[in-house]
């Protein structure tokens, strides 16, 4: 059984694996050319990474939490890029998960830094959507989610620091 809140994160990754696989399967036939291949590649990396990070954390390796957060930022950003073809998709909101994770692990500083680290994925998503829909790039579609992420990171980080959960 996990010792503290931070020890639950590898379990959450494992629980998310079947949902990620099901999402790729459900979208079959809806992907533009080449996107389904990337969806499977990202999901395969997710499955392998989730397993490695789960066993690394259980083994008590000191770098596992930091590596897990880095992995999650890159992986979640990759899902945002892969599913950028879908108009009206809420996929950008998965980046909030990394901000919450960072706030839990590293307090306000972690939540703040990670909020800004989501900006490139959000900018890519907005650029892709603006190209696909032939509308101008809207910086508010990047700035708004980064600002919301910042607030989430500060709230979660503050709560984590107050409860002594952050590292």
């Amino acid at each position: 059984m996990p010792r503290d809140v931070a020890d639950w994160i590898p379990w959450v990754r494992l629980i998310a694996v079947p949902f990620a696989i099901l999402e790729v399967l459900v979208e079959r036939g809806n992907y533009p050319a080449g996107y389904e291949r990337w969806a499977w590649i990202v999901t395969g990396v997710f499955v392998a990474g989730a397993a490695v990070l789960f066993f690394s954390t259980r083994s008590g390796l000191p770098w596992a939490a930091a590596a897990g957060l880095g992995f999650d930022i890159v992986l979640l950003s990759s899902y945002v890029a892969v599913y950028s073809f879908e108009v009206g998709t809420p996929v950008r909101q998965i980046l909030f998960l990394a901000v919450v994770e960072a706030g839990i692990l590293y307090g306000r500083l972690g939540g703040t830094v990670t909020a800004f680290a989501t900006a490139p994925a959000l900018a890519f998503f907005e650029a892709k959507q603006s190209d696909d829909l032939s509308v101008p790039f809207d910086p508010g579609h990047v700035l708004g989610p980064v600002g919301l992420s910042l607030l989430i990171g500060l709230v979660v980080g503050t709560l984590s620091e107050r409860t002594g959960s952050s590292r």
Side-chain angles (χ1 to χ4, degrees), residues 71-129:
F71 173 78
D72 290 341
I73 292 168
V74 170
L75 184 91
L76 294 171
S77 295
S78 298
Y79 275 119
V80 168
V82 168
Y83 286 95
S84 64
F85 72 90
E86 289 188 311
V87 176
T89 181
V91 73
R92 293 178 300 172
Q93 284 76 5
I94 65 172
L95 294 169
F96 293 146
L97 294 173
V99 174
V100 169
E101 178 182 353
I104 290 169
L105 291 174
Y106 302 109
R108 287 177 291 203
L109 180 61
T112 299
V113 170
T114 303
F116 288 108
T118 66
L122 293 166
F124 176 86
F125 183 91
E126 179 58 21
K128 182 78 170 87
Q129 290 277 298

Side-chain angles (χ1 to χ4, degrees), residues 1-17 46 49-58 63-73 75-76 96-107 114 156 160 165-167:
M1 197 58 125
R3 294 178 306 278
D4 63 22
V5 175
D7 291 334
W8 281 95
I9 294 169
W11 286 99
V12 171
R13 265 189 219 101
L14 288 180
I15 291 167
V17 162
F46 176 47
V52 167
L53 289 164
F54 178 80
F55 290 111
S56 298
T57 302
R58 291 187 54 88
W63 52 264
L69 176 59
F71 173 78
D72 290 341
I73 292 168
L75 184 91
L76 294 171
F96 293 146
L97 294 173
V99 174
V100 169
E101 178 182 353
I104 290 169
L105 291 174
Y106 302 109
T114 303
V156 172
S160 181
S165 299
S166 62
R167 294 176 184 235

Side-chain angles (χ1 to χ4, degrees), residues 19-20 42 44 61 89 97 155 163:
F19 291 98
V42 171
L61 296 173
T89 181
L97 294 173
V155 168
T163 62

Side-chain angles (χ1 to χ4, degrees), residues 135-148:
V135 297
F137 182 93
D138 186 345
H141 291 169
V142 177
L143 193 56
V146 169
L148 184 56

